[in-house]
Amino acid sequence: MFSFANILTSFNLFFGCLAVLSVCQNQAEKAMLFLGLGLLCDFLDGFVARWMKQESELGIQLDSLADVVSFGVLPGFMLYILLMNSIEHTSIPIEMSYFAFIITVMASFRLARFNIEADGKVKDFQGLPV
């Protein structure tokens, strides 16, 4: 259950959470650093799992969860903050910035669809990345 690949995936999730926190604290440089670290962990976890023969259903699900945070919640939140700052000085209702989270919703659908279609049997990447 616990494998080096799953630890890498967990770090992707961890760095995604830290990136969201950094955005909340208005520290864009830190957010980008954590995003990059999460991306690196996401890139490596699949290779490590296949190389060490540690592929598992848990790993597939954990990877998608981590990807939703790092590449769904984080970009949605970043766009939300950007829109909030831009809309403040216009007559556009601030609620329009909520549409930034469509990125998060679509990322979730893409990853969930991949999980049920792949069923753990597909070894190569398919479709578009989140």
Side-chain angles (χ1 to χ4, degrees):
M1 201 184 270
F2 287 100
S3 67
F4 186 64
N6 287 350
I7 290 170
L8 282 171
T9 303
S10 297
F11 272 109
N12 174 13
L13 179 58
F14 177 72
F15 289 132
C17 291
L18 291 179
V20 170
L21 183 61
S22 297
V23 171
C24 290
Q25 296 171 341
N26 201 24
Q27 297 176 333
E29 295 84 13
K30 265 176 114 172
M32 296 310 289
L33 171 67
F34 290 133
L35 175 61
L37 290 170
L39 185 62
L40 178 64
C41 290
D42 185 49
F43 179 76
L44 292 175
D45 64 2
F47 288 115
V48 168
R50 286 185 288 281
W51 178 62
M52 297 180 80
K53 299 185 185 343
Q54 296 178 338
E55 296 170 283
S56 68
E57 185 63 30
L58 175 66
I60 292 169
Q61 299 303 322
L62 184 61
D63 183 66
S64 286
L65 173 65
D67 288 353
V68 165
V69 172
S70 295
F71 312 118
V73 174
L74 176 61
F77 191 65
M78 291 171 86
L79 182 57
Y80 169 77
I81 295 295
L82 186 72
L83 290 173
M84 284 287 291
N85 291 337
S86 299
I87 289 175
E88 276 181 335
H89 309 292
T90 68
S91 61
I92 299 171
I94 241 164
E95 290 79 10
M96 293 298 289
S97 60
Y98 297 166
F99 287 103
F101 292 105
I102 289 175
I103 292 171
T104 305
V105 172
M106 300 317 303
S108 300
F109 270 95
R110 186 260 182 255
L111 290 162
R113 190 182 121 254
F114 176 78
N115 284 358
I116 60 173
E117 286 182 1
D119 196 25
K121 296 177 185 127
V122 177
K123 302 294 182 207
D124 297 321
F125 180 78
Q126 291 186 340
L128 296 172
V130 171

